[in-house]
Amino acid sequence: MGEVDPAYIQAIEHRPKIISGLEAGGIPLIDLSPLLSSDSLEGYSKDHPQAILDLVEEIKGACKDWGFFQVINHGVSYDLLRRLQTAAKEFFDLPLEEKRRVTKDEENLMGYYDTEHTKNVRDWREVLDFVVVDPTVIPHSPEPDDQRLRQINNQWPEYPSDLREVCEEYCRVVEKLAFNLLELISLSLGLPAKRLNGFFKDQISYIRLNHYPPCPTPHLALGLGRHKDSGALTVLATDDIGGLEVKRKTDGEWIRVKTIPESYIINVGDVIQVWSNDRYESVEHRVVVNSEKERFSIPFFFDPSHYEMVKPLEELVDEEKEPARFKEYNWGKFFCKRKLSNFKKLPVENHQITDFKIAK
């Protein structure tokens, strides 16, 4: 990527504190092994084993206090993840002209990209995106009156030859983990386990392979600028090179997430914040880079169907005590409008759920 272009430079107030490097020891680490020995969470009740009851309470506390947590004993094979990480590195090691053979654009949102912006500042990274369901249907445009639909398809590079196979295998496994987590979150809100599953019938979930090269000025740029995830849930796999920072809710301090071998980092997104009527908050986070080491990560963005109208769940709304805090919005239209900022600088920051907040 060469020397730092001014497009990468963060405003002074958003530049990382490289020296501090505080680690977020308070972010909960949750053992999902009780889930692996349970056939189903369907029909969950107080008669379930205590380990499941405790697990639901842990999820509740983590979502409420942090919006982030880490999980171990999650059921995803470490060997599979290693195969995907190896294939990802082989792809990103290719010459730039080879990677750009599968470049994504405004027409096809899946593929390779190395000029992405977050809040109108360029990210110090390159990515390869692919949808879980290929093809995936989304709105033709973010315009409210445009009822047309279009398909987005995966673009698979010629090399490495096994990338597609391992990506598709990984999709199936991590999707299962995402549904398990979704059901635990639903239970933690006092809802039936599968209350939220129907929103994902025609999901537009996707997986991203991230590569953060060494940066000559890590005190000026960010691998990924501050943001909140717009979807429902993010399931993040990372290597042992730290870089993810979470904005702590109690004091607004940026805290480095400690890397734990064979774990996943989970965060609730904007959609769950709206569904929960602000009980669970989507938390701001970012990625710092360093001058010596490259870093790889693989987030799974668990997103609803394009036609779903996102609004507070009726079971969690009480007109007198807990009125709805958000107006409803169409997920597909929101998704499309957010993606526009990846390809061009906009006169405003990314589309946010605050645009739909109901004033008290």
Side-chain angles (χ1 to χ4, degrees), residues 297-314:
S297 70
I298 307 171
F300 171 96
F301 298 106
F302 197 33
D303 293 345
S305 312
H306 73 86
Y307 46 75
E308 292 295 348
M309 299 301 296
V310 180
K311 60 182 179 180
L313 298 171
E314 57 185 20

Side-chain angles (χ1 to χ4, degrees), residues 48-87:
H48 267 68
Q50 189 61 44
I52 295 292
L53 301 177
D54 292 342
L55 182 56
V56 172
E57 285 303 308
E58 284 187 85
I59 294 290
K60 181 177 182 177
C63 291
K64 184 177 179 181
D65 297 337
W66 279 95
F68 268 81
F69 54 96
Q70 290 174 276
V71 296
I72 55 174
N73 297 320
H74 39 66
V76 179
S77 163
Y78 187 61
D79 177 65
L80 174 59
L81 178 58
R82 290 293 296 170
R83 284 168 51 209
L84 180 55
Q85 290 171 329
T86 299

Side-chain angles (χ1 to χ4, degrees), residues 2-236:
E3 292 301 315
V4 173
D5 184 286
Y8 292 104
I9 305 302
Q10 295 284 330
I12 294 175
E13 65 270 23
H14 299 307
R15 293 175 187 172
K17 297 178 182 178
I18 300 299
I19 298 176
S20 64
L22 297 173
E23 285 193 336
I27 288 182
L29 177 64
I30 299 177
D31 186 345
L32 295 182
S33 54
L35 208 59
L36 302 180
S37 58
S38 176
D39 293 335
S40 171
L41 291 173
E42 187 73 17
Y44 168 88
S45 71
K46 293 182 179 179
D47 295 329
H48 267 68
Q50 189 61 44
I52 295 292
L53 301 177
D54 292 342
L55 182 56
V56 172
E57 285 303 308
E58 284 187 85
I59 294 290
K60 181 177 182 177
C63 291
K64 184 177 179 181
D65 297 337
W66 279 95
F68 268 81
F69 54 96
Q70 290 174 276
V71 296
I72 55 174
N73 297 320
H74 39 66
V76 179
S77 163
Y78 187 61
D79 177 65
L80 174 59
L81 178 58
R82 290 293 296 170
R83 284 168 51 209
L84 180 55
Q85 290 171 329
T86 299
K89 178 170 173 52
E90 289 178 4
F91 171 76
F92 288 120
D93 282 346
L94 292 173
L96 184 58
E97 60 269 21
E98 187 67 32
K99 291 181 285 192
R100 284 183 172 171
R101 289 177 183 271
V102 291
T103 294
K104 68 177 183 177
D105 54 32
E106 291 181 56
E107 277 301 308
N108 191 354
L109 301 176
M110 296 298 115
Y112 173 79
Y113 207 58
D114 63 346
T115 56
E116 194 158 279
H117 290 73
T118 301
K119 296 191 184 297
N120 284 328
V121 181
R122 190 169 169 183
D123 297 325
W124 189 269
R125 65 170 175 167
E126 53 183 347
V127 308
L128 179 67
D129 291 343
F130 56 96
V131 285
V132 173
V133 179
D134 187 17
T136 287
V137 176
I138 64 170
H140 185 269
S141 77
E143 298 304 319
D145 295 331
D146 187 352
Q147 300 301 310
R148 295 173 298 168
L149 301 174
R150 62 188 173 108
Q151 290 185 348
I152 51 176
N153 302 81
N154 290 330
Q155 299 187 81
W156 297 110
E158 188 175 353
Y159 305 104
S161 58
D162 63 339
L163 180 63
R164 177 174 183 171
E165 180 184 352
V166 68
C167 283
E168 290 178 342
E169 183 179 352
Y170 183 77
C171 274
R172 293 189 293 271
V173 177
V174 77
E175 181 189 32
K176 181 179 179 181
L177 171 59
F179 271 112
N180 284 339
L181 292 166
L182 186 74
E183 292 180 12
L184 286 169
I185 289 171
S186 184
L187 291 170
S188 75
L189 289 167
L191 303 170
K194 297 188 181 298
R195 172 64 175 89
L196 307 176
N197 293 32
F199 295 123
F200 297 84
K201 181 181 178 182
D202 298 304
Q203 60 181 296
I204 53 178
S205 306
Y206 66 102
I207 290 179
R208 167 166 288 177
L209 306 182
N210 277 318
H211 175 226
Y212 302 93
C215 177
T217 53
H219 58 293
L220 298 178
L222 287 168
L224 175 57
R226 74 196 195 283
H227 69 287
K228 297 183 177 185
D229 290 351
S230 58
L233 197 64
T234 303
V235 181
L236 174 69

